Amino acid sequence: MSRFRAVWQASLNATKKALTWNLEELMPPSERLIFNFNSKEELKKCHLYSDSEYGGLSSASLEITDAGNGLKGVFSGNLSLEVSEGSKWNITRSGFCGMRSKKFDGFIDLDAYDTIALKLKGDGRCYISTIYTENWVNSPGQLEDNSWQSFVFVPEDNWYIAKIPLSRYLPTWRGNVIDAKLEMNQSRILGMSLSVNAEGGIPGTRSGPGDFRVEIDWIKALRTR
């Protein structure tokens, strides 16, 4: 009887161990690389936008640089509150620039992750991280994507990993927060962007018109729980 119990216990332990291994294999990795800004080919996945499309005078560029620690992306430019004379656009504000990824080939599924991490080196300004998802909140059936935004403070002159819980991203409509309790569909993400405004942001950070510059190493999704 004791021999039978020993064999049974050994078999049970082996089964538990196998189940543990299977569960570990099913778990997604603790992090997922989304963008790695280390080549010109990678930068081709993004495009620039600014108020200049609507009569503003801000400008931006996205380039690759090597400061001795590997290739990095540099998003830089100048923020202006001025509007060009004779503009056909009746814009109410200017002073913004952004870089946005082209739409992914299909969707990326970040349902298993809870945090977005960005490795940045900046200028003390407050930037805006945006996630675009399939349109089912604002105007279902329309071409415009849903956008979810969170502020990112980028300290000056030092590399910094900003970690933003996905729960902190708020639904927005053309830059304004939607006053409703909504949940992001993390399994249907179409793209991302990083932008900067001359005004607004986190109190105490650098703001106003003038030059801006942020170096970007990578953007990842993290599973912290």
Side-chain angles (χ1 to χ4, degrees):
M1 186 68 177
S2 59
R3 182 180 178 184
F4 171 78
R5 289 181 61 85
V7 171
W8 177 82
Q9 188 64 49
S11 176
L12 180 61
N13 291 340
T15 301
K16 287 181 177 178
K17 192 174 183 180
L19 286 173
T20 301
W21 286 344
N22 290 338
L23 286 173
E24 289 176 352
E25 290 172 359
L26 290 173
M27 291 294 288
S30 59
E31 64 180 45
R32 175 176 176 175
L33 182 66
I34 302 173
F35 295 106
N36 192 12
F37 297 93
N38 61 357
S39 70
K40 291 183 178 179
E41 289 301 313
E42 191 75 10
L43 295 194
K44 289 179 181 178
K45 297 178 182 179
C46 300
H47 64 86
L48 297 167
Y49 63 91
S50 72
D51 56 44
S52 63
E53 300 172 30
Y54 309 100
L57 298 177
S58 299
S59 60
S61 66
L62 181 60
E63 301 172 323
I64 284 284
T65 187
D66 187 353
N69 58 345
L71 298 177
K72 305 290 188 294
V74 179
F75 172 48
S76 62
N78 183 270
L79 296 168
S80 173
L81 300 177
E82 303 298 321
V83 177
S84 58
E85 294 184 12
S87 171
K88 66 177 182 178
W89 299 96
N90 184 25
I91 61 174
T92 57
R93 65 185 176 92
S94 61
F96 65 87
C97 294
M99 50 173 281
R100 176 173 176 171
S101 69
K102 296 175 182 177
K103 284 194 175 183
F104 300 126
D105 184 13
F107 305 94
I108 65 168
D109 184 352
L110 298 183
D111 210 29
Y113 299 91
D114 56 77
T115 300
I116 295 296
L118 307 91
K119 186 176 180 181
L120 308 164
K121 181 180 179 182
D123 52 8
R125 285 186 180 271
C126 179
Y127 290 77
I128 301 171
S129 172
T130 304
I131 297 174
Y132 300 96
T133 60
E134 185 180 35
N135 190 343
W136 62 277
V137 173
N138 296 332
S139 304
Q142 301 298 315
L143 295 178
E144 192 167 356
D145 306 324
N146 293 151
S147 57
W148 307 77
Q149 297 184 315
S150 177
F151 287 127
V152 186
F153 170 59
V154 185
E156 190 172 1
D157 296 333
N158 292 308
W159 283 103
Y160 170 72
I161 297 178
K163 296 180 180 180
I164 312 170
L166 283 164
S167 59
R168 270 183 41 195
Y169 282 83
L170 300 177
T172 61
W173 171 249
R174 297 182 180 178
N176 297 310
V177 175
I178 298 174
D179 188 16
K181 188 174 178 60
L182 301 171
E183 185 176 347
M184 182 194 300
N185 186 352
Q186 295 178 202
S187 65
R188 308 284 280 187
I189 291 176
L190 296 167
M192 296 182 176
S193 73
L194 187 69
S195 58
V196 59
N197 292 342
E199 299 177 325
I202 300 173
T205 59
R206 180 186 165 201
S207 62
D211 293 340
F212 69 89
R213 176 187 169 92
V214 60
E215 294 181 51
I216 313 169
D217 191 351
W218 46 252
I219 299 175
K220 297 178 181 180
L222 305 181
R223 180 168 56 84
T224 64
R225 297 192 293 267

